[in-house]
């Protein structure tokens, strides 16, 4: 059976996609995306309870509690599989984004 242009295009597209998945620039862009997601989460969590003015301490306590629970659940795991490493790295990037967002909010309030 002859190869059609569509089959050649799909094969070329799949090869290019598999090559793109293996590059480090893809990992860099995903890490930046997850940090921005964490930044968005921290901004959301710090502004919603802060609307009333009396929920600031309780909101911070909830954020820190979730932050520490995530650390408690992820770090004792054995890192045998590559999938677990990827998930832990993504969660850590989200945590870095949350911490960065909280620092930015603290500097905004301090100025």
């Amino acid at each position: 059976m002859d190869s059609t242009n569509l089959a050649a295009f799909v094969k070329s597209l799949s090869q290019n996609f598999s090559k793109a998945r293996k590059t480090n620039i893809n990992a860099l862009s995903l890490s930046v995306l997850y940090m921005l997601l964490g930044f968005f989460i921290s901004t959301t969590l710090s502004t919603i309870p802060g609307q009333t003015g009396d929920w600031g301490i309780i909101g911070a306590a909830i954020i820190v509690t979730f932050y520490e629970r995530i650390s408690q659940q992820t770090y004792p795991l054995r890192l045998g599989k590559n999938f677990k490493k990827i998930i832990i790295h993504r969660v850590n990037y989200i945590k870095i984004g949350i911490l960065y967002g909280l620092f930015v909010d603290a500097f905004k309030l301090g100025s």
Side-chain angles (χ1 to χ4, degrees), residues 36-51:
L36 288 174
L37 177 67
F39 183 80
F40 175 73
I41 290 170
S42 72
T43 304
T44 304
L45 291 177
S46 67
T47 56
I48 290 174
Q51 293 295 322

Side-chain angles (χ1 to χ4, degrees), residues 4 7 19 27 31 38 42-43 45 58 67 71-72 79 95 107:
T4 62
K19 286 179 188 176
S31 64
S42 72
T43 304
L45 291 177
I58 295 171
Y67 193 85
S71 295
Q72 185 182 21
L79 298 176
K95 285 174 33 181
F107 284 128

